[in-house]
Amino acid sequence: MWGIIATWRMAVEGITKASEMLKNGGNAGDAIEVAVKEVEDFPYYKSVGYGGLPNEEMEVELDAAYMDGDTLDIGAVAAIKDFANPISIARRLSQESVNNLLVGEGAEKFAHRHGFERKNMLTDRAKIHYHNRVKEVQETEIKPYAGHDTVGMVCLDSAGKMTAATSTSGLFMKKKGRVGDSPISGSGFYVDSEVGGASATGLGEDVMKGCVSYEIVRLMKEGMHPQQACETAVNLFDKTLRERRGKAGDMSLIAMNNKGEWGVATNIEGFSFSVATEGQEPIVYLTKNVDGKCIHEVASQEWLDEYMRTRTAPLVEK
Ligand code: GLY
């Protein structure tokens, strides 16, 4: 059995490429890297890689992580600028025995030394979004932050190896140097090939308070199906945050176990995810949480068309 599951509709082209590799005996490390790179390279996704929205100083600082579920090796970069594929740098770092999580200039030096492709990740479209948001914040006093749609994936290959990966530009208009959950083991991702893996998207500051990805893997290890593990962890932690802090940030988690069974839970409206397995062609679902149960519906063609139309619609400076 092989399979790959990812946060958001934006991952479907990537998991389609990955599923071709997995179908032909490809390994979970290569497949997940190819899938995440596809998202990083697409300029119209505003929250990952090229075209990602900048921090408050109009710089695109990116976070990414890779984990090998066989060896438990982890590699991650945070607040890295001007490199095309943070996921590939994170994967390369997972091969080091120490210095596995590098930030900012240190991550850039490592990437340069190892010949990774340099690229100015700030697009003209992202600049327009930035200028428009600055105006909105001044005129309407709305919060600068909005959107934190990390791509997070879990992959299983036919040899039983599992991997997890994340990539994000983090919160729009974040402070320079701000790091979210995505490169943090246990929060943004976790995978153990003997059990399964999980990955998160949402408000990093809150996801980190609950180490939610690790919690889901722990629940699967205790015997829960991935769906039950996701719902248990997300519902319980959402409730804890509301009780202790009066509110809970957005939180959506995907998981897959080492049998290729998967699960998803969210505390927001309109969370989409993409999945492909040996028995299931790549597909996009929308999910909603109804009294603690997350109901998944296949996204309609109309929804998919509208998604791409809004992502690529011409953008004007206000
Ligand atoms: N979940 C991504 C972030 O908060 O940066």
Side-chain angles (χ1 to χ4, degrees), residues 181-250:
D181 59 304
S182 305
I184 306 298
S185 168
S187 291
F189 65 93
Y190 197 79
V191 66
D192 176 344
S193 302
E194 292 185 4
V195 183
S199 184
T201 176
L203 182 63
E205 283 73 3
D206 275 4
V207 174
M208 282 193 274
K209 294 180 176 88
C211 300
V212 191
S213 293
Y214 182 79
E215 178 62 4
I216 290 171
V217 176
R218 192 188 69 75
L219 292 170
M220 291 195 291
K221 194 172 183 175
E222 285 186 356
M224 280 192 193
H225 184 280
Q227 185 57 39
Q228 194 192 3
C230 285
E231 281 173 5
T232 303
V234 170
N235 291 337
L236 195 65
F237 194 56
D238 178 75
K239 185 166 171 277
T240 302
L241 288 173
R242 286 177 203 282
E243 281 170 3
R244 305 255 198 111
R245 305 172 57 81
K247 60 181 180 352
D250 293 359

Side-chain angles (χ1 to χ4, degrees), residues 148 150 168 170-171 178 180-182 202-204:
H148 31 71
T150 301
T168 187
L171 280 186
R178 177 264 186 193
D181 59 304
S182 305
L203 182 63

Side-chain angles (χ1 to χ4, degrees), residues 2-306:
W2 55 262
I4 183 163
I5 186 164
T7 57
W8 305 110
R9 145 69 186 88
M10 65 182 159
V12 76
E13 288 83 7
I15 69 156
T16 301
K17 274 196 169 177
S19 63
E20 287 305 314
M21 296 168 72
L22 294 164
K23 212 180 277 177
N24 293 311
N27 82 69
D30 294 339
I32 206 165
E33 182 182 349
V34 162
V36 174
K37 279 175 79 172
E38 186 77 12
V39 187
E40 288 178 338
D41 289 343
F42 191 67
Y44 290 98
Y45 296 142
K46 297 181 293 184
S47 50
V48 178
Y50 184 57
L53 294 180
N55 65 16
E56 67 176 10
E57 298 182 19
M58 214 174 75
E59 299 167 326
V60 182
E61 289 188 328
L62 301 167
D63 301 341
Y66 171 89
M67 183 165 184
D68 180 316
D70 282 357
T71 58
L72 307 181
D73 283 329
I74 289 170
V77 289
I80 189 171
K81 286 189 297 193
D82 298 330
F83 279 90
N85 293 111
I87 186 57
S88 301
I89 304 164
R91 186 178 180 198
R92 176 64 187 74
L93 278 165
S94 74
Q95 294 160 12
E96 301 289 308
S97 53
V98 291
N99 302 307
N100 300 115
L101 197 177
L102 296 182
V103 304
E105 209 188 320
E108 288 151 19
K109 265 192 182 161
F110 176 89
H112 176 68
R113 238 189 358 261
H114 289 87
F116 285 95
E117 183 193 344
R118 279 188 179 275
K119 187 168 175 176
N120 175 4
M121 302 298 269
L122 183 66
T123 60
D124 289 342
R125 198 174 169 86
K127 280 187 206 163
I128 297 176
H129 278 294
Y130 175 85
H131 291 307
N132 287 349
R133 183 51 60 106
V134 169
K135 273 199 198 123
E136 279 168 12
V137 170
Q138 283 162 354
E139 286 165 11
T140 62
E141 292 179 12
I142 61 159
K143 284 198 187 128
Y145 309 128
H148 31 71
D149 302 351
T150 301
V151 69
M153 300 193 187
V154 176
C155 184
L156 164 70
D157 68 25
S158 45
K161 180 187 180 72
M162 296 197 77
T163 51
T166 59
S167 186
T168 187
S169 51
L171 280 186
F172 183 21
M173 305 281 265
K174 63 191 178 183
K175 292 273 178 229
K176 183 179 174 67
R178 177 264 186 193
V179 176
D181 59 304
S182 305
I184 306 298
S185 168
S187 291
F189 65 93
Y190 197 79
V191 66
D192 176 344
S193 302
E194 292 185 4
V195 183
S199 184
T201 176
L203 182 63
E205 283 73 3
D206 275 4
V207 174
M208 282 193 274
K209 294 180 176 88
C211 300
V212 191
S213 293
Y214 182 79
E215 178 62 4
I216 290 171
V217 176
R218 192 188 69 75
L219 292 170
M220 291 195 291
K221 194 172 183 175
E222 285 186 356
M224 280 192 193
H225 184 280
Q227 185 57 39
Q228 194 192 3
C230 285
E231 281 173 5
T232 303
V234 170
N235 291 337
L236 195 65
F237 194 56
D238 178 75
K239 185 166 171 277
T240 302
L241 288 173
R242 286 177 203 282
E243 281 170 3
R244 305 255 198 111
R245 305 172 57 81
K247 60 181 180 352
D250 293 359
M251 197 168 23
S252 305
L253 275 289
I254 52 110
M256 183 171 277
N257 66 17
N258 64 1
K259 291 185 257 178
E261 298 166 330
W262 54 265
V264 172
T266 185
N267 67 353
I268 63 165
E269 286 287 316
F271 175 59
S272 62
F273 64 95
S274 307
V275 62
T277 62
E278 207 168 313
Q280 168 68 68
E281 291 294 311
I283 189 167
V284 177
Y285 286 96
L286 294 168
T287 193
K288 58 177 176 215
N289 191 324
V290 183
D291 300 327
K293 282 254 133 266
C294 287
I295 321 263
H296 314 316
E297 274 174 22
V298 176
S300 66
Q301 193 55 48
E302 195 187 354
W303 185 91
L304 293 169
D305 293 345
E306 182 61 10

